[in-house]
């Protein structure tokens, strides 16, 4: 039954194991949201195809890893509905119908579309499916009549398009869809061990649920303020990835302690990193234990996702009945 709590939808493309950038950029927020909203979180496996139709063999495995990480990070399948986009065919039906009312110009003018077409040269992107990415994303969201969509800043233009398409539908066929708002994740900044944005493709990431030992190895080897060459040189925490992690993991008093003592060379980077690991290590171990417990019970994650998918299907089917009625189909 539809409930009175706000409806949240968000998805992630299945790319395999998640890292601390995913955790603090999105997932931690998803976990919080499940307390006061009805949350639908899904694997956007069709979206993965829009940029790599030729690499389908890894998708299912990556998806399983991703769901394990969702749960290890604290998504509770009893509270949130976990599902797979491609298993709820209504996404495709609504995508097709929305395609009929979406002007090409809206899609061609989309900033992320233009940027990717200009900058990505090693992959074929002159594809209908790639142009339609935001239409599929719109279907994902409004199919559940979501009003709140937690996304990163890079997705905000897609959300704007989503609202425009929903508005156009409502204008043409009658009010079916609410206009969803982005919930901008106060993106805790996470940089990788080399000081660049944390990304699997840079090989600079710390994975969610890595052992304390392996986390420590990466942290101890990580780049800090590049201007701080010697122990006696004062540093600038604002350009240091370790400091960003302190802001996420450490108590305010410890963050203040780092901030001050870095600037005055009161501590060295080794002290600073050890302090971080006091919190980061156990946190990683906690997630590692949850991952292991899940992995030790084969079929359990699949079953939870299966149940979520059934629930998503029921909700999607209700909306599509309204859509077909509104469109006189
Ligand atoms: N485009 C999103 C991303 O790359 C993933 C996504 C697909 C999504 N459909 C969505 C996010 C619907 C929120 C709502 O991160
Ligand atoms: Fe970074 Fe800490 Fe070293 Fe300062 S002391 S540069 S915050 S690791």
């Amino acid at each position: 039954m539809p409930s009175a709590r706000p409806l949240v939808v968000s998805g992630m493309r299945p790319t395999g194991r998640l890292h601390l950038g995913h955790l603090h950029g999105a997932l931690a927020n998803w976990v919080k949201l499940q307390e006061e909203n009805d949350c639908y979180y899904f694997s956007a496996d069709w979206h993965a195809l829009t940029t790599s139709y030729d690499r389908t063999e890894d998708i299912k495995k990556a998806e399983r890893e991703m769901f394990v990480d969702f749960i290890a990070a604290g998504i509770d399948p009893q509270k949130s509905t976990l599902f797979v986009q491609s298993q709820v065919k209504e996404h495709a039906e609504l995508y097709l119908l929305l395609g009929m009312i979406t002007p090409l110009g809206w899609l061609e003018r989309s900033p992320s579309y233009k940027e990717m077409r200009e900058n990505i040269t090693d992959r074929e992107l002159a594809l209908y499916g790639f142009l339609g990415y935001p239409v599929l994303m719109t279907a994902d969201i409004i199919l559940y009549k979501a009003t709140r969509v937690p996304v990163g800043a890079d997705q905000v233009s897609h959300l704007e398009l989503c609202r425009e398409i929903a508005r156009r539908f409502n204008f043409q066929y009658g009010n079916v869809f609410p206009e969803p708002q982005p919930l901008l994740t106060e993106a805790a900044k996470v940089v990788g061990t080399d000081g660049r944005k944390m990304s699997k493709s840079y090989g600079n990431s710390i994975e969610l649920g890595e052992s304390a030992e392996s986390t420590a190895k990466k942290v101890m080897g990580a780049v800090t303020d590049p201007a701080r060459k010697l122990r006696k040189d004062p540093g600038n925490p604002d350009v240091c990835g370790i400091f960003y992690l302190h802001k996420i993991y450490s108590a305010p008093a410890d963050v203040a302690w780092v901030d001050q003592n870095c600037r005055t060379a009161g501590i060295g980077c080794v002290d600073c990193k050890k302090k971080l690991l006091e919190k980061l290590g156990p946190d990683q171990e906690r997630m590692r234990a949850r991952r292991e417990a899940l992995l030790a019970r084969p079929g359990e994650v699949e079953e939870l996702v299966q149940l979520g998918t059934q629930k998503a299907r029921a909700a999607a089917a209700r909306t599509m009945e309204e859509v077909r009625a509104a469109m006189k189909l």
Side-chain angles (χ1 to χ4, degrees):
M1 275 291 102
S3 81
R5 305 205 304 170
L7 209 134
V8 164
V9 166
S10 201
M12 234 184 246
R13 280 168 293 164
T15 52
R17 275 193 72 174
L18 304 181
H19 54 61
L20 297 185
H22 297 114
L23 177 61
H24 301 295
L27 210 46
N29 198 35
W30 290 13
V31 172
K32 279 191 213 129
L33 285 167
Q34 62 186 351
E35 301 310 325
E36 285 169 10
N37 301 273
D38 273 348
C39 297
Y40 286 71
Y41 298 130
F42 67 96
S43 162
D45 57 343
W46 279 337
H47 273 109
L49 298 178
T50 61
T51 52
S52 52
Y53 63 82
D54 53 346
R55 286 199 301 265
T56 56
E57 62 280 0
D58 304 328
I59 293 180
K60 283 295 134 191
K61 182 164 173 277
E63 183 170 277
R64 175 153 202 281
E65 307 252 29
M66 183 174 76
F67 282 125
V68 168
D69 285 347
F70 281 5
I71 299 171
I75 302 281
D76 177 351
Q78 307 302 329
K79 292 181 183 153
S80 297
T81 305
L82 295 176
F83 71 97
V84 178
Q85 181 188 40
S86 68
Q87 299 304 309
V88 183
K89 310 299 175 196
E90 283 81 358
H91 287 248
E93 182 182 0
L94 186 56
Y95 168 60
L96 177 144
L97 295 173
L98 297 177
M100 305 301 171
I101 62 167
T102 305
L104 269 182
W106 290 6
L107 301 174
E108 287 162 346
R109 277 195 299 274
S110 145
S112 59
Y113 174 75
K114 283 204 298 203
E115 195 211 280
M116 286 177 80
R117 282 302 303 273
E118 280 159 22
N119 296 319
I120 297 181
T121 49
D122 61 339
R123 269 176 290 166
E124 166 74 62
L125 288 184
L127 295 166
Y128 169 67
F130 181 63
L131 180 69
Y133 188 110
V135 184
L136 181 55
M137 189 165 154
T138 300
D140 298 339
I141 295 165
I142 68 178
L143 186 54
Y144 303 95
K145 300 193 178 184
T147 53
R148 319 175 80 188
V149 185
V151 286
D154 63 319
Q155 301 288 314
V156 169
S157 67
H158 287 147
L159 252 284
E160 249 149 53
L161 253 172
C162 170
R163 281 200 301 279
E164 275 178 276
I165 297 171
R167 214 175 292 145
R168 194 178 179 110
F169 183 99
N170 289 342
F171 178 78
Q172 190 66 43
Y173 303 113
N175 241 326
V176 174
F177 298 115
E179 286 179 29
Q181 299 298 323
L183 285 184
L184 264 180
T185 316
E186 333 114 26
K189 192 169 167 174
V190 177
V191 303
T193 51
D194 61 356
R196 292 188 291 172
K197 182 183 152 89
M198 189 175 282
S199 161
K200 192 158 144 181
S201 53
Y202 291 160
N204 65 0
S205 52
I206 300 174
E207 283 167 341
L208 180 162
E210 243 182 271
S211 70
E213 192 190 350
S214 140
T215 301
K217 212 179 262 169
K218 287 188 177 175
V219 165
M220 296 316 288
V223 167
T224 63
D225 171 4
R228 191 170 187 200
K229 294 213 172 59
L230 301 171
R231 168 70 180 76
K232 65 175 172 41
D233 297 335
N236 176 10
D238 296 327
V239 301
C240 177
I242 298 298
F243 189 56
Y244 298 136
L245 288 172
H246 268 295
K247 285 201 260 192
I248 295 167
Y249 286 93
S250 302
D254 290 332
V255 176
W257 174 83
V258 169
D259 193 10
Q260 201 201 340
N261 286 290
C262 172
R263 291 178 200 281
T264 55
I267 55 169
C269 293
V270 171
D271 310 314
C272 183
K273 288 172 166 177
K274 284 191 177 146
K275 187 88 203 161
L276 170 67
L277 288 166
E278 287 173 15
K279 283 283 161 52
L280 176 58
D283 205 71
Q284 284 282 74
E285 278 296 325
R286 198 161 39 244
M287 290 191 289
R288 191 179 67 87
R290 283 204 215 165
R291 279 182 52 85
E292 265 180 19
L294 285 163
L295 293 171
R297 297 194 294 268
E300 173 160 323
V301 171
E302 286 76 4
E303 200 172 306
L304 290 167
V305 173
Q306 193 57 38
L307 285 171
T309 300
Q310 278 162 15
K311 189 175 157 207
R313 266 186 208 136
R318 282 197 296 272
T319 305
M320 286 316 294
E321 296 222 345
E322 274 183 69
V323 167
R324 287 183 219 110
M327 293 181 77
K328 315 213 184 319
L329 294 172

